[in-house]
């Protein structure tokens, strides 16, 4: 992961073109539809915002395969793959032979044999495919030539967009064996394979030493546009009938990717409010307008199962993002991803029988209906800020990536203390009704108003948990240590100040005020007493009587259990500095009148010394560009 720098990830891809134009030859469209690749191949021409992708990679967790946002965990699921790209989510897993004679396979299925230097192992150069299959010179009625050209075009798209390797200029011929029969090609689980490869690329990109990312990054961008209202283009295009939902972003008017500043997207995600994330963008009217292929394999959408693409095995964990399916979110269990499968590569394993090695994993995918998690009640409205899940989630994550954006969280403690001061208990001693509107503004600015004022809400108990399993395969390989085996440990900075969870009731109150520097007393202290006299207040025109507690005779935790009604006390008179400040020395531990008087005397002494008083000098100096007069840069003695 690239940390707090502003360097964005390089998006690896190579979009195939026909005669220099971004279009698909009309002659191969029927075959593309037959094998299930027509809709996905139209997606390759969408421009990608690298800053947006990089901002989401910063929030990606490899253990859970989820983005950690302010509102909770969210991720790209098989539902998003089907609805946005038009790839089916069921079928046979994408596993085949890895030790074929690849030059012979090219000659059989493409009609051309690559020469030495054009093929290396199981990979062939994309430039070789472009050279031999750039022009579609096919005799009329020659089906075999048309099929070869279609295979070459799909292979270029696989290597340039779907499964991009580190070189961005080569494609593995392992995928060519699935293009032999176009009807059978449509029965493979291409959607799960694309998502598995993208998961692996995002997990690798979280390493700060990795500077690029491959896979179907267009899916990340469209997923963000559909769900994050502050990140999407200003004008959301309408749904196109009988096309995957992602096709609405392909119109030329929507090709502008907007701002490419990583700091801007980082700040938007840091300060995103919970109502700005759309948990269910695929409403009934949207689903009704999709083609049939977009709803095939809906059982896998809710299943905690492995996603397989040859050696790449990444776990699909919808149990952590149930709100994306309109269900209530319990506190999830442990991540399901086995760590010994997270870093396996094909290096030195070309002769392995992957069907045998991954037999238990393939069996779990084939029995995916048994691992469904759609057993929870519907989620009505937004999840409460003080719900069981959100309380647990805030203890497990970091809300902010940029420390500058964490300043709002630092205000939370001050805001909650002020909220207590304006509560009925505080008002009995403090005359602060004139501060109420300012406290409300501070609460809004600090983004903590929901947690302070919302009641505690409890979610459903977790009914279905699928802990990570151990698959004893390739135990002698160093790759079974996981993707972190080559990483250096990096200690995360404490950007956000975590606040202790409040107790029952509405307002948070710390156990004691003695930890604050402004308090010179330890509560309770010897000799304090409680004034049990009664005072009358009017609540909505009804007079009520309650005990009067004088500050600081009770600790905040004791006053926390008192009634929470708001009295209609009159505003206090305005304070005039320094003459009319009330005597609050014993209350705050500092004499404000003395402080203000000392400041006034110091200012008066400065005027008498004849020194120049220019408080704006430093401010003006910061804005002065280089090359201006030296007197504006502090190069002389003020």
């Amino acid at each position: 992961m690239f940390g707090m720098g502003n360097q964005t990830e390089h998006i690896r891809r190579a979009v195939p073109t026909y005669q220099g134009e971004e279009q698909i030859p009309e002659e191969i469209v029927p075959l593309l539809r037959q094998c299930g690749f027509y809709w996905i191949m139209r997606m390759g021409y969408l421009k990608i915002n690298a800053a947006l992708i990089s901002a989401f990679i910063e929030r990606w967790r490899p253990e859970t395969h989820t983005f950690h946002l302010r509102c909770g965990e969210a991720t790209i699921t098989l539902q998003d793959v089907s609805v946005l790209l038009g790839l089916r989510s069921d079928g046979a897993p994408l596993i085949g032979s890895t030790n074929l004679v690849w030059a012979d396979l090219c000659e059989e299925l493409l009609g051309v044999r690559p020469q030495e230097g054009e093929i290396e192992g199981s990979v062939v150069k994309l430039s070789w495919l472009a050279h031999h299959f750039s022009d579609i010179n096919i005799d009329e009625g020659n089906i075999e030539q048309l099929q070869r050209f279609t295979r070459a075009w799909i292979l270029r798209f696989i290597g340039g967009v779907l499964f991009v390797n580190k070189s961005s200029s080569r494609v593995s011929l392992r995928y060519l064996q699935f293009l032999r029969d176009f009807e059978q090609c449509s029965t493979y689980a291409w959607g799960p394979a694309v998502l598995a490869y993208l998961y692996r690329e995002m997990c690798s990109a979280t390493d700060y030493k990795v500077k690029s990312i491959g896979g179907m990054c267009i899916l990340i961008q469209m997923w963000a546009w559909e769900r994050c209202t502050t990140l999407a283009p200003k004008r959301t295009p309408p749904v196109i009938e009988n096309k995957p939902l992602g096709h609405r972003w392909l119109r030329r008017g929507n090709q502008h990717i907007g701002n490419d500043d990583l700091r801007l997207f980082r700040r938007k995600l840091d300060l995103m409010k919970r109502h700005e994330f759309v948990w269910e963008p695929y409403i009934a009217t949207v689903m009704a307008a999709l083609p049939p292929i977009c709803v095939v394999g809906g059982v896998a959408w809710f299943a905690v199962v492995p996603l397989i693409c040859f050696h790449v095995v990444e776990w699909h964990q919808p149990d952590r993002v149930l709100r994306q399916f309109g269900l209530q979110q319990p506190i999830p269990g442990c991540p399901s991803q086995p760590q010994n499968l997270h870093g396996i590569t094909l290096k030195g394993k070309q002769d392995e029988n992957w069907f045998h090695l991954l037999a238990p994993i393939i069996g779990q995918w084939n029995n995916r209906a048994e691992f469904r998690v759609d057993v929870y009640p519907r989620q009505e409205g937004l999840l409460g800020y003080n719900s069981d899940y959100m309380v647990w989630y805030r203890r497990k994550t970091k809300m902010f990536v940029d420390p500058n954006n964490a300043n709002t969280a630092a205000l939370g403690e001050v805001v909650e203390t002020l909220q207590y001061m304006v509560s009925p208990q505080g008002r009995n001693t403090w005359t602060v009704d004139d501060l109420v509107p300012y406290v409300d503004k501070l609460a809004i600015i600090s983004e903590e108003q929901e947690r302070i004022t919302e009641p505690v809400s409890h979610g459903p108990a977790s009914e279905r948990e699928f802990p990570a399993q151990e698959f004893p395969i390739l135990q002698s390989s160093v790759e079974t240590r996981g993707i972190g085996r080559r990483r250096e440990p990096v200690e995360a900075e404490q950007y956000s100040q975590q606040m202790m969870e409040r107790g029952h009731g509405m307002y948070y109150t710390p156990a004691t005020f003695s930890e604050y520097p402004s308090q010179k007393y330890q509560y309770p202290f010897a000799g304090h007493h409680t004034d049990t006299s009664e005072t009358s207040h009017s609540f909505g025109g009804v007079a009520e009587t309650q005990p009067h507690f004088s500050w600081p005779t009770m600790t905040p935790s004791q006053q926390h259990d008192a009634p929470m009604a708001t009295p209609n006390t009159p505003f206090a008179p305005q304070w005039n500095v320094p003459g009319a400040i009330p005597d609050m020395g014993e209350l705050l531990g500092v004499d404000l009148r003395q402080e203000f008087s000392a400041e006034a005397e110091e200012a008066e002494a400065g005027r008498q010394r004849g020194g120049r008083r220019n408080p704006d000098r430093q401010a003006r100096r910061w804005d002065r560009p280089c090359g201006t007069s030296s007197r504006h840069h502090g190069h002389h003695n003020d």
Side-chain angles (χ1 to χ4, degrees), residues 122 150 267 276 334 388:
S122 64
T150 304
R267 176 174 176 80
E276 294 173 342
C334 297
D388 293 339

Side-chain angles (χ1 to χ4, degrees), residues 495-552:
Y495 289 149
S496 59
Q497 300 182 11
Q498 297 294 335
M499 301 171 60
M500 55 189 301
E501 297 297 332
R502 62 177 175 79
H504 62 281
M506 179 171 292
Y507 295 103
Y508 163 85
T509 54
T512 176
F513 276 68
S514 60
E515 58 183 314
Y516 298 101
S518 61
Q519 302 294 329
K520 68 178 183 179
Y521 296 116
Q522 300 287 336
Y523 303 120
F525 53 87
H528 82 283
H529 67 280
T530 302
D531 181 8
T532 57
S533 60
E534 296 180 343
T535 58
S536 298
H537 299 286
S538 175
F539 300 90
V542 180
E544 293 190 14
T545 303
Q546 63 180 12
H548 173 73
F549 301 101
S550 58
W551 182 275

